[in-house]
Amino acid sequence: MASNFRAGNLGQIGHREYARSDATPGWEALEEVVGELELGDAVAFSSGMGAAAAVFDLLHVGAQVMAPSDCYAGVHALLADGQQQGRWQVDLVDVTDTAVAVAAARRADLVWLESPTNPLLDIADLPALCTAGRDAGAMVAVDNTFATPLLQQPIALGAHIAVHSATKFLGGHSDLLLGIAVADSPHLAEQLRHRREVAGAVPGALETFLVLRGLRTLALRLDQGQRSAATLAQRLVEHPLVTRVRYPGLADHPGHAQAAVQMTGFGAMIAFEVQSAAAADTVCASVRVIRSATSLGGVESTIERRAKLPGQGHLPPGFLRFSVGCEHVDDLWDDLVSALAQTGP
Ligand SMILES: Cc1ncc(COP(=O)(O)O)c(C=O)c1O
């Protein structure tokens, strides 16, 4: 829990004086674990947005940033702010159109990717886009929050940086905020650590401990969540009041084949649509086992109508994002069936 260390401790517990500059043993333990999982050098931050902001802070003024047209709303907001301040130019592209996205990656200084995207669950061809950006001299960062390193390893697919909101699956219990950026080289990790030190987005000691503890059950939680997600996605497809289901594990998902190439599982996030915004609100208001709440990746399932958030106008009005947790799959299904019944005629 220490913020400062006894002076002259050289050689005893490493050269540490002040936690914001020199880290604590707790942060380093977490960084070691996540670095091994993500095949790189991990740097922990106060939140996922803290980690993302540190990556954007590496850009020179006037840089060109490519990002998915569907990506986490907070990242869009940060990119829009920076563009307005004259810090960078943003090129939002549909990452499911590989030819268009490759062309955009070739003219970018930073290629920012998400796959599956939040919340549409679009799949990008990560090897093609990472190679295109890298070969053209861009820095390539992949937000790997939805997949986790157990299902997808961006650095192995060609990215320079994998970014996480550890607030979600890595922590896994909806009780903390923490972010991690994992660099493919010690030099890049050092640049990110410098951003953390000067901007001050350091992880909290308790949060760091809780993510380390959460990681011990990540495989179990994810396994349960994605098995239930696969079952529920299939059942939702057959439900008469559901107009569309998006889950990369469904054979007719447009990104299914690509997801199978670059992921070892399809994850615990589902998106589905009902006929209207009002019907989607009714589903959220009617669930009893599933929590009507924002965020995702917890042991408890959460559902949210994302189109109600600012900057999410591209989403269909009846679109619901559903994070599948560890409850019994039949309890989740019964809950969905009775909530959907409230939307009927
Ligand atoms: C994909 C993704 N990236 C980044 C973030 C930001 O993380 P945090 O809320 O920990 O700052 C979120 C949060 O919802 C997210 O879903």
Side-chain angles (χ1 to χ4, degrees), residues 46 84 187 191-192 206 219 246 277-278 288 302 304 306 319 340:
S46 53
Q84 208 180 14
H187 174 67
Q191 291 180 293
L192 290 166
L206 177 60
R246 299 169 201 249
R288 292 281 173 270
T302 50
E304 187 178 32
R306 292 294 284 179
F319 177 92
L340 283 164

Side-chain angles (χ1 to χ4, degrees), residues 45-52 71-75 112 114 116-119 143-147 163-168 176-180 269 294-296 304 306 321:
F45 290 86
S46 53
S47 67
M49 285 311 298
C71 95
Y72 172 56
V75 168
W112 180 271
E114 253 181 44
T117 62
N118 180 2
D143 184 332
N144 205 27
T145 298
F146 272 30
V163 178
H164 282 279
S165 169
T167 310
K168 318 297 182 194
L176 60 94
L177 287 162
L178 194 137
I180 303 176
M269 298 299 300
T294 196
S295 204
L296 56 110
E304 187 178 32
R306 292 294 284 179
R321 188 185 72 184

Side-chain angles (χ1 to χ4, degrees), residues 243-265:
T243 53
R244 181 165 179 184
V245 183
R246 299 169 201 249
Y247 179 63
L250 291 173
D252 66 351
H253 184 285
H256 177 67
Q258 185 59 40
V261 167
Q262 64 200 24
M263 302 175 79
T264 56

